[in-house]
Amino acid sequence: MKILVPVKRVIDYNVKARVKADNTGIDLANVKMSMNPFDEIAVEEALQKKESGEAEEVIAVSIGPSQCQETLRTALAMGADRAILIEEDSDVEPLVVAKLLKAVVDEEQPGLVILGKQAIDDDSNQTGQMLAALLGWPQGTFASEVKLAGDKVEVTREVDGGLETVALNLPAIVTTDLRLNEPRYATLPNIMKAKKKPLDTKTVGDYGVDVTPRLTTLYVAEPAKREAGIIVESVEELVQKLKDEAGVI
């Protein structure tokens, strides 16, 4: 069975994002980029399935500018077998990403698609669900455990008050949560080997998908700075301030 793992190039989670001076977006100049953390978890889960003999091949795919090759090479260094880059310099919305991934799925015919539940740059949490809808496949979102059982995959997910386990017929879509696993680090020998692994480069035109955006960003601003708190002398004073100044009681 093939496992397809979409990965996204985002601002490194250790870097504080800066808003452009004209408030039109995020300043990416000279900013460290890396693989979306949720996608790292997805790659790790796919690799574990391969190492256990439950999958034969792990394919990483990314959509974006040529620099996304670095992200794909990271996935290859972790252990993915090959990679596909769909080059597109403009920003692509989740629906466009889902349509492009559907085209890749139609070509590759994987038995399972594992992807991060969301990207840390836009927090949309839409691509996995949209891809499942376009393919007509069952989906298990926010997975904290994934077990393959014959022609089904059992996905355990956290819900209010406990855990829910669903059984999905393969092929299926699974989106990963933080508690699914701990991604491995790519070793230097594997980083060197990754340079020789196949990485196919394609364009949006190869799949005939319209990338025209449906949304327009009007304004981007940093969160308001949190004001310093105050110390009160008594419960009575606290209640008075909550009532008269904050207006919450």
Side-chain angles (χ1 to χ4, degrees):
M1 179 179 69
K2 294 180 184 178
I3 299 180
L4 188 73
V5 186
V7 296
K8 185 177 183 181
R9 180 175 181 262
V10 299
I11 295 178
D12 189 270
Y13 67 92
N14 287 312
V15 176
K16 184 181 184 300
R18 301 188 308 271
V19 176
K20 292 180 179 179
D22 59 1
N23 297 102
T24 58
I26 303 299
D27 186 2
L28 300 180
N30 301 316
V31 174
K32 181 183 179 183
M33 309 291 282
S34 62
M35 187 190 301
N36 179 47
F38 290 102
D39 297 340
E40 283 187 309
I41 294 171
V43 173
E44 176 63 30
E45 191 65 23
L47 295 176
Q48 290 183 13
K49 294 292 181 280
K50 180 186 175 184
E51 291 166 352
S52 65
E54 297 172 294
E56 298 176 353
E57 186 179 28
V58 176
I59 307 165
V61 57
S62 189
I63 302 164
S66 59
Q67 292 90 333
C68 290
Q69 290 188 32
E70 300 171 9
T71 306
L72 289 171
R73 290 296 179 193
T74 299
L76 293 172
M78 290 175 68
D81 297 288
R82 57 189 176 93
I84 301 170
L85 171 61
I86 304 174
E87 282 197 7
E88 175 56 41
D89 292 329
S90 63
D91 292 336
V92 286
E93 296 175 356
L95 180 58
V96 172
V97 174
K99 288 180 178 180
L100 290 169
L101 291 177
K102 178 185 181 299
V104 175
V105 168
D106 290 340
E107 280 188 354
E108 296 292 341
Q109 294 295 307
L112 186 63
V113 179
I114 307 179
L115 64 162
K117 69 172 185 177
Q118 65 194 72
I120 63 172
D121 56 355
D122 58 17
D123 280 335
S124 291
N125 180 27
Q126 295 175 344
T127 303
Q129 293 89 329
M130 288 178 171
L131 178 59
L134 292 172
L135 288 168
W137 287 9
Q139 59 178 309
T141 56
F142 308 99
S144 59
E145 186 177 8
V146 178
K147 291 183 179 179
L148 290 171
D151 61 348
K152 296 182 181 294
V153 57
E154 293 183 357
V155 178
T156 300
R157 52 198 305 273
E158 295 182 5
V159 296
D160 291 342
L163 299 174
E164 176 187 55
T165 300
V166 295
L168 314 174
N169 292 322
L170 294 174
I173 306 293
V174 174
T175 70
T176 63
D177 207 345
L178 283 174
R179 280 167 284 280
L180 179 58
N181 59 50
E182 183 70 27
R184 68 192 68 184
Y185 288 101
T187 62
L188 182 57
N190 286 336
I191 292 174
M192 301 305 292
K193 292 177 183 177
K195 296 180 180 180
K196 298 182 180 180
K197 290 185 178 180
L199 194 162
D200 295 332
T201 301
K202 300 189 178 183
T203 66
V204 171
D206 295 332
Y207 298 102
V209 175
D210 181 12
V211 298
T212 303
R214 297 175 176 229
L215 303 175
T216 301
T217 300
L218 301 178
Y219 188 81
V220 178
E222 292 187 7
K225 292 184 178 180
R226 186 174 181 179
E227 296 182 0
I230 60 173
I231 298 176
V232 295
E233 299 296 333
S234 65
V235 174
E236 290 75 13
E237 185 182 355
L238 172 61
V239 172
Q240 180 184 2
K241 287 185 177 295
L242 290 175
K243 182 178 180 180
D244 299 337
E245 297 181 17
V248 296
I249 59 175

